[in-house]
Amino acid sequence: MHVEDEWTPPHIHEPNPAPPSDDPAFQLLSGTQQIYLSPVDLATFPQVEAGDCYIISTGHGTSGPFKFGGVSLRFLIDHYFGTGWELVDIFSADGFRTRLTAAELKRVKSRPVLLALAIDGRALTREKGLVRLIVPHETDDALRQVKWVSEIRVYR
Ligand SMILES: Nc1nc2c(c(=O)[nH]1)N[C@H]1C(S)=C(S)[C@@H](COP(=O)(O)O)O[C@H]1N2
Ligand SMILES: [Mo]
């Protein structure tokens, strides 16, 4: 499936420094199914790591390398909805968002796309983005490193 360029925010984007709410739980949606997941729920799934991750801000420089830990996005979606989905949209309550395809997630098995709960072996704080989408293969502009995930929509 073709991913539209205009889906991601403009390249020059001033990142939001503050969480839009205190609640780190999010909704996982597919069709009429809705699942509410907290970091405590995510911690019950197998935890995976992605090292050598950088947050490449075009505004205030690069930070990292970080080792993020958490749940594989692909694993979580397959667990609840089975395989055979094509597209996933990840939203933050502050309006930030990104889109990934199942094909893309399958290509990056050794550097999995994560819903991160940990950074460098410590719990990720709400301030720093809990729960944060980490897309290790994005090394351009941090526009896919969505902090404060509030909703994940899966399409077949
Ligand atoms: N929810 C949310 N996530 C976001 C953003 C944002 O504004 N809101 N900005 C993005 C951009 S442009 C950058 S550079 C990084 C900044 O991440 P940092 O605060 O960890 O440095 O977060 C990304 N994720
Ligand atoms: Mo940015």
Side-chain angles (χ1 to χ4, degrees):
M1 186 173 291
H2 179 68
V3 178
E4 299 293 337
D5 286 337
E6 58 268 29
W7 178 258
T8 42
H11 193 84
I12 303 298
H13 167 88
E14 200 42 54
N16 186 356
S21 78
D22 291 338
D23 182 6
F26 62 89
Q27 302 272 356
L28 176 63
L29 310 161
S30 175
T32 57
Q33 297 181 74
Q34 287 192 34
I35 298 136
Y36 187 71
L37 291 169
S38 70
V40 172
D41 298 322
L42 287 185
T44 67
F45 286 92
Q47 303 294 300
V48 292
E49 284 182 336
D52 275 317
C53 295
Y54 292 87
I55 302 295
I56 320 280
S57 165
T58 54
H60 51 265
T62 297
S63 61
F66 301 114
K67 184 172 75 180
F68 287 100
V71 178
S72 153
L73 178 64
R74 185 179 165 217
F75 180 92
L76 191 77
I77 297 172
D78 288 355
H79 172 83
Y80 283 106
F81 307 131
T83 56
W85 56 277
E86 278 191 36
L87 196 64
V88 58
D89 292 337
I90 295 99
F91 301 87
S92 169
D94 71 357
F96 200 78
R97 64 189 186 183
T98 196
R99 169 171 284 186
L100 291 155
T101 65
E104 183 174 1
L105 297 195
K106 283 176 196 163
R107 278 200 300 272
V108 294
K109 278 205 184 90
S110 62
R111 309 252 306 140
V113 172
L114 295 182
L115 291 170
L117 302 174
I119 179 168
D120 294 336
R122 299 183 307 274
L124 188 64
T125 61
R126 180 67 177 157
E127 193 67 28
K128 292 290 182 194
L130 181 76
V131 170
R132 186 172 196 168
L133 181 76
I134 294 296
V135 180
H137 62 279
E138 182 281 294
T139 55
D140 295 328
D141 50 25
L143 292 180
R144 305 181 89 181
Q145 317 297 337
V146 180
K147 295 185 277 192
W148 315 302
V149 170
S150 60
E151 195 174 298
I152 299 178
R153 284 187 179 269
V154 179
Y155 300 95
R156 319 209 132 245

